[in-house]
Amino acid sequence: MTIQYSNDKDVKIFQAFVNDPTDRKKLSKFTRTFGVAWVDEAIKLHNRFKSSANAQIYNTLYGGAKNSIETKEGTKKNHPKIFKVRFGEGPRKFFNHILNDDGDLLLTQNWEGNFNLIESIYVIAVNNHKYDAV
C-alpha cells in the first residue's frame, strides 16, 4: 500500500521513525512519545503495510484477531471513512482511504466493505485508544 501522513505531531514522529528506524534521534523521539514497547511493532506494521498491495491482502496475511484492519464506528456519513489497525497490545493507527491522485478520501456513505480497493492510505492519528481524538 502507498502511505501518506498527516501533519499531526505524533503522526510525523511515527513516520520519521518507521521510514528510518536506524536514526538514533528519530528512535529517541519515538520512544519519548510512544514508549519503547512500540518500537518493534511499529516497524513491523509499517513493513507489512508497505509490502501488501491492498488492505485485503494485509488482512489475509497478517490480520489475526488482534491486527486486522477494521472500520472505526461512529463516523458521520458525509465524513471520510476512518479505518484502524492495532499494533502491539493496544496502540491504534487510524487512517483514511485515498481514492485518487487528487487526494480525495472515501466518504463513509460510499463505503461498500471492499478492502481490496484500499491501496493508498492517509494516516491521521497514532495513539493508544484515544478514539475521540480522531
Side-chain angles (χ1 to χ4, degrees):
M1 286 184 278
T2 303
I3 306 171
Q4 295 180 29
Y5 296 88
S6 73
N7 287 323
D8 177 79
K9 178 185 167 202
D10 290 345
V11 171
K12 286 297 184 189
I13 291 169
F14 181 90
Q15 175 190 15
F17 172 67
V18 296
N19 284 330
D20 187 8
T22 60
D23 185 305
R24 295 180 59 81
K25 287 183 181 179
K26 293 174 184 173
L27 171 63
S28 176
K29 202 169 198 177
F30 181 89
T31 56
R32 276 195 315 267
T33 304
F34 299 113
V36 72
W38 288 23
V39 170
D40 291 337
E41 294 296 329
I43 294 168
K44 189 186 314 179
L45 177 70
H46 178 73
N47 291 337
R48 287 175 174 178
F49 266 48
K50 294 294 281 185
S51 67
S52 300
N54 61 52
Q56 182 63 46
I57 291 172
Y58 170 87
N59 276 349
T60 300
L61 295 175
Y62 309 111
K66 293 193 309 185
N67 296 60
S68 62
I69 296 172
E70 303 170 337
T71 61
K72 178 184 174 280
E73 299 303 319
T75 307
K76 294 180 181 177
K77 71 178 187 175
N78 59 345
H79 289 139
K81 184 69 178 164
I82 298 175
F83 299 88
K84 63 183 178 177
V85 64
R86 179 187 318 191
F87 59 102
E89 291 299 317
R92 302 286 195 277
K93 179 176 177 175
F94 296 93
F95 58 92
N96 301 119
H97 171 200
I98 301 173
L99 293 174
N100 53 40
D101 292 338
D102 293 332
D104 295 327
L105 302 174
L106 174 73
L107 298 180
T108 300
Q109 65 193 10
N110 299 331
W111 172 244
E112 296 177 357
N114 191 349
F115 284 92
N116 280 322
L117 299 177
I118 301 174
E119 297 175 345
S120 186
I121 65 170
Y122 182 66
V123 179
I124 54 175
V126 179
N127 63 53
N128 196 8
H129 298 280
K130 296 179 185 171
Y131 289 90
D132 58 340
V134 183

